[in-house]
Amino acid sequence: MKPKQIVIELLIVVTTIATTWLTLKLLTNKTIIDVQLHDSYFIMAPSTLILPISSLLLTLIYLIKEGLAGYKRRFQNLILVTSNFLLLVWLYPLSIFIKNLPQPGWTVPPSLSALPKATPDIESRLKDYSLIVKNVKLYTPVVVIVFMLILVAATFVTGKNWNAKPHEQNSN
């Protein structure tokens, strides 16, 4: 591979990471992100999201880019496999955490029967939250499995084409 092509690919990786960092910096405009979930309160720095979001973007970029090139280029395939692996390293523990979230079913103090009758808004928000938690719990393992399959397929095709000469590579 030519050094010029390596520099171009590394520029794509660095640009993606820098764009993610800048976007998070502009969107959050905070030093911490607060997430209140049921009776727990999570605090995290926006910088902790740079790696997973960059990995997701790089996986999608190189999945499309190398799909069009037939997964024949080693360095680009290594970037795809590495970014997908880093995404899974972050996504799998997140899916375990989401799986263990309690299903919402608490009462809002004071109990809804003690409040005036004009409170259907609270009940509808609790039902909406319950539906969101249910759907996230349902689809997170599916997302993990999809990215694992992408990792296995990309690794297999990369290994298959690793020692092949340009005229021996499969067009599959």
PDB file of all heavy atoms in Angstrom, residues 74-87:
ATOM      1  N   ARG A  74      -6.379  -4.361   2.674  1.00  0.00           N
ATOM      2  CA  ARG A  74      -6.032  -4.806   4.033  1.00  0.00           C
ATOM      3  C   ARG A  74      -6.172  -3.709   5.085  1.00  0.00           C
ATOM      4  O   ARG A  74      -6.815  -3.902   6.110  1.00  0.00           O
ATOM      5  CB  ARG A  74      -4.595  -5.312   4.059  1.00  0.00           C
ATOM      6  CG  ARG A  74      -4.391  -6.575   3.335  1.00  0.00           C
ATOM      7  CD  ARG A  74      -2.949  -6.983   3.500  1.00  0.00           C
ATOM      8  NE  ARG A  74      -2.639  -8.044   2.557  1.00  0.00           N
ATOM      9  CZ  ARG A  74      -1.431  -8.479   2.328  1.00  0.00           C
ATOM     10  NH1 ARG A  74      -0.411  -7.930   2.946  1.00  0.00           N
ATOM     11  NH2 ARG A  74      -1.231  -9.448   1.488  1.00  0.00           N
ATOM     12  N   PHE A  75      -5.522  -2.595   4.846  1.00  0.00           N
ATOM     13  CA  PHE A  75      -5.478  -1.543   5.853  1.00  0.00           C
ATOM     14  C   PHE A  75      -6.877  -1.025   6.176  1.00  0.00           C
ATOM     15  O   PHE A  75      -7.235  -0.844   7.341  1.00  0.00           O
ATOM     16  CB  PHE A  75      -4.558  -0.408   5.390  1.00  0.00           C
ATOM     17  CG  PHE A  75      -4.303   0.626   6.438  1.00  0.00           C
ATOM     18  CD1 PHE A  75      -3.559   0.313   7.566  1.00  0.00           C
ATOM     19  CD2 PHE A  75      -4.800   1.915   6.309  1.00  0.00           C
ATOM     20  CE1 PHE A  75      -3.318   1.265   8.547  1.00  0.00           C
ATOM     21  CE2 PHE A  75      -4.561   2.871   7.281  1.00  0.00           C
ATOM     22  CZ  PHE A  75      -3.822   2.537   8.403  1.00  0.00           C
ATOM     23  N   GLN A  76      -7.676  -0.809   5.157  1.00  0.00           N
ATOM     24  CA  GLN A  76      -9.036  -0.318   5.356  1.00  0.00           C
ATOM     25  C   GLN A  76      -9.884  -1.351   6.091  1.00  0.00           C
ATOM     26  O   GLN A  76     -10.703  -1.008   6.944  1.00  0.00           O
ATOM     27  CB  GLN A  76      -9.684   0.043   4.015  1.00  0.00           C
ATOM     28  CG  GLN A  76      -9.098   1.267   3.376  1.00  0.00           C
ATOM     29  CD  GLN A  76      -7.852   0.988   2.544  1.00  0.00           C
ATOM     30  OE1 GLN A  76      -7.248  -0.067   2.620  1.00  0.00           O
ATOM     31  NE2 GLN A  76      -7.457   1.964   1.739  1.00  0.00           N
ATOM     32  N   ASN A  77      -9.678  -2.636   5.772  1.00  0.00           N
ATOM     33  CA  ASN A  77     -10.414  -3.684   6.474  1.00  0.00           C
ATOM     34  C   ASN A  77      -9.992  -3.760   7.937  1.00  0.00           C
ATOM     35  O   ASN A  77     -10.819  -4.039   8.805  1.00  0.00           O
ATOM     36  CB  ASN A  77     -10.200  -5.039   5.791  1.00  0.00           C
ATOM     37  CG  ASN A  77     -10.942  -5.128   4.482  1.00  0.00           C
ATOM     38  OD1 ASN A  77     -11.849  -4.351   4.214  1.00  0.00           O
ATOM     39  ND2 ASN A  77     -10.556  -6.072   3.651  1.00  0.00           N
ATOM     40  N   LEU A  78      -8.704  -3.525   8.205  1.00  0.00           N
ATOM     41  CA  LEU A  78      -8.253  -3.507   9.594  1.00  0.00           C
ATOM     42  C   LEU A  78      -8.881  -2.349  10.366  1.00  0.00           C
ATOM     43  O   LEU A  78      -9.219  -2.499  11.544  1.00  0.00           O
ATOM     44  CB  LEU A  78      -6.732  -3.418   9.655  1.00  0.00           C
ATOM     45  CG  LEU A  78      -5.986  -4.706   9.297  1.00  0.00           C
ATOM     46  CD1 LEU A  78      -4.481  -4.449   9.285  1.00  0.00           C
ATOM     47  CD2 LEU A  78      -6.333  -5.818  10.241  1.00  0.00           C
ATOM     48  N   ILE A  79      -9.054  -1.223   9.720  1.00  0.00           N
ATOM     49  CA  ILE A  79      -9.735  -0.097  10.368  1.00  0.00           C
ATOM     50  C   ILE A  79     -11.180  -0.471  10.659  1.00  0.00           C
ATOM     51  O   ILE A  79     -11.697  -0.207  11.751  1.00  0.00           O
ATOM     52  CB  ILE A  79      -9.655   1.179   9.500  1.00  0.00           C
ATOM     53  CG1 ILE A  79      -8.214   1.674   9.413  1.00  0.00           C
ATOM     54  CG2 ILE A  79     -10.559   2.276  10.067  1.00  0.00           C
ATOM     55  CD1 ILE A  79      -8.008   2.825   8.446  1.00  0.00           C
ATOM     56  N   LEU A  80     -11.843  -1.128   9.706  1.00  0.00           N
ATOM     57  CA  LEU A  80     -13.228  -1.569   9.899  1.00  0.00           C
ATOM     58  C   LEU A  80     -13.329  -2.546  11.065  1.00  0.00           C
ATOM     59  O   LEU A  80     -14.176  -2.384  11.947  1.00  0.00           O
ATOM     60  CB  LEU A  80     -13.760  -2.216   8.614  1.00  0.00           C
ATOM     61  CG  LEU A  80     -15.114  -2.922   8.723  1.00  0.00           C
ATOM     62  CD1 LEU A  80     -16.208  -1.946   9.093  1.00  0.00           C
ATOM     63  CD2 LEU A  80     -15.443  -3.635   7.419  1.00  0.00           C
ATOM     64  N   VAL A  81     -12.478  -3.539  11.088  1.00  0.00           N
ATOM     65  CA  VAL A  81     -12.521  -4.548  12.153  1.00  0.00           C
ATOM     66  C   VAL A  81     -12.209  -3.921  13.504  1.00  0.00           C
ATOM     67  O   VAL A  81     -12.894  -4.185  14.504  1.00  0.00           O
ATOM     68  CB  VAL A  81     -11.555  -5.715  11.821  1.00  0.00           C
ATOM     69  CG1 VAL A  81     -11.368  -6.626  13.013  1.00  0.00           C
ATOM     70  CG2 VAL A  81     -12.057  -6.493  10.620  1.00  0.00           C
ATOM     71  N   THR A  82     -11.210  -3.063  13.567  1.00  0.00           N
ATOM     72  CA  THR A  82     -10.831  -2.425  14.826  1.00  0.00           C
ATOM     73  C   THR A  82     -11.930  -1.508  15.349  1.00  0.00           C
ATOM     74  O   THR A  82     -12.276  -1.546  16.542  1.00  0.00           O
ATOM     75  CB  THR A  82      -9.523  -1.626  14.651  1.00  0.00           C
ATOM     76  OG1 THR A  82      -8.522  -2.504  14.140  1.00  0.00           O
ATOM     77  CG2 THR A  82      -9.067  -1.023  15.961  1.00  0.00           C
ATOM     78  N   SER A  83     -12.496  -0.687  14.482  1.00  0.00           N
ATOM     79  CA  SER A  83     -13.549   0.227  14.932  1.00  0.00           C
ATOM     80  C   SER A  83     -14.791  -0.544  15.363  1.00  0.00           C
ATOM     81  O   SER A  83     -15.439  -0.190  16.357  1.00  0.00           O
ATOM     82  CB  SER A  83     -13.888   1.245  13.845  1.00  0.00           C
ATOM     83  OG  SER A  83     -14.431   0.611  12.712  1.00  0.00           O
ATOM     84  N   ASN A  84     -15.108  -1.622  14.655  1.00  0.00           N
ATOM     85  CA  ASN A  84     -16.262  -2.444  15.034  1.00  0.00           C
ATOM     86  C   ASN A  84     -16.005  -3.131  16.372  1.00  0.00           C
ATOM     87  O   ASN A  84     -16.895  -3.201  17.220  1.00  0.00           O
ATOM     88  CB  ASN A  84     -16.538  -3.479  13.949  1.00  0.00           C
ATOM     89  CG  ASN A  84     -17.921  -4.069  14.058  1.00  0.00           C
ATOM     90  OD1 ASN A  84     -18.623  -3.843  15.020  1.00  0.00           O
ATOM     91  ND2 ASN A  84     -18.291  -4.840  13.076  1.00  0.00           N
ATOM     92  N   PHE A  85     -14.794  -3.617  16.589  1.00  0.00           N
ATOM     93  CA  PHE A  85     -14.457  -4.253  17.858  1.00  0.00           C
ATOM     94  C   PHE A  85     -14.550  -3.249  19.010  1.00  0.00           C
ATOM     95  O   PHE A  85     -15.104  -3.560  20.067  1.00  0.00           O
ATOM     96  CB  PHE A  85     -13.046  -4.860  17.789  1.00  0.00           C
ATOM     97  CG  PHE A  85     -12.625  -5.500  19.074  1.00  0.00           C
ATOM     98  CD1 PHE A  85     -13.144  -6.717  19.452  1.00  0.00           C
ATOM     99  CD2 PHE A  85     -11.711  -4.869  19.906  1.00  0.00           C
ATOM    100  CE1 PHE A  85     -12.765  -7.307  20.651  1.00  0.00           C
ATOM    101  CE2 PHE A  85     -11.329  -5.445  21.091  1.00  0.00           C
ATOM    102  CZ  PHE A  85     -11.847  -6.676  21.473  1.00  0.00           C
ATOM    103  N   LEU A  86     -14.024  -2.042  18.815  1.00  0.00           N
ATOM    104  CA  LEU A  86     -14.106  -1.021  19.866  1.00  0.00           C
ATOM    105  C   LEU A  86     -15.553  -0.644  20.169  1.00  0.00           C
ATOM    106  O   LEU A  86     -15.920  -0.397  21.325  1.00  0.00           O
ATOM    107  CB  LEU A  86     -13.310   0.222  19.465  1.00  0.00           C
ATOM    108  CG  LEU A  86     -11.793   0.059  19.475  1.00  0.00           C
ATOM    109  CD1 LEU A  86     -11.132   1.314  18.912  1.00  0.00           C
ATOM    110  CD2 LEU A  86     -11.292  -0.246  20.866  1.00  0.00           C
ATOM    111  N   LEU A  87     -16.390  -0.606  19.143  1.00  0.00           N
ATOM    112  CA  LEU A  87     -17.814  -0.340  19.346  1.00  0.00           C
ATOM    113  C   LEU A  87     -18.444  -1.440  20.190  1.00  0.00           C
ATOM    114  O   LEU A  87     -19.207  -1.163  21.119  1.00  0.00           O
ATOM    115  CB  LEU A  87     -18.525  -0.211  17.999  1.00  0.00           C
ATOM    116  CG  LEU A  87     -20.039  -0.011  18.069  1.00  0.00           C
ATOM    117  CD1 LEU A  87     -20.373   1.318  18.738  1.00  0.00           C
ATOM    118  CD2 LEU A  87     -20.641  -0.080  16.681  1.00  0.00           C
TER     119      LEU A  87
END
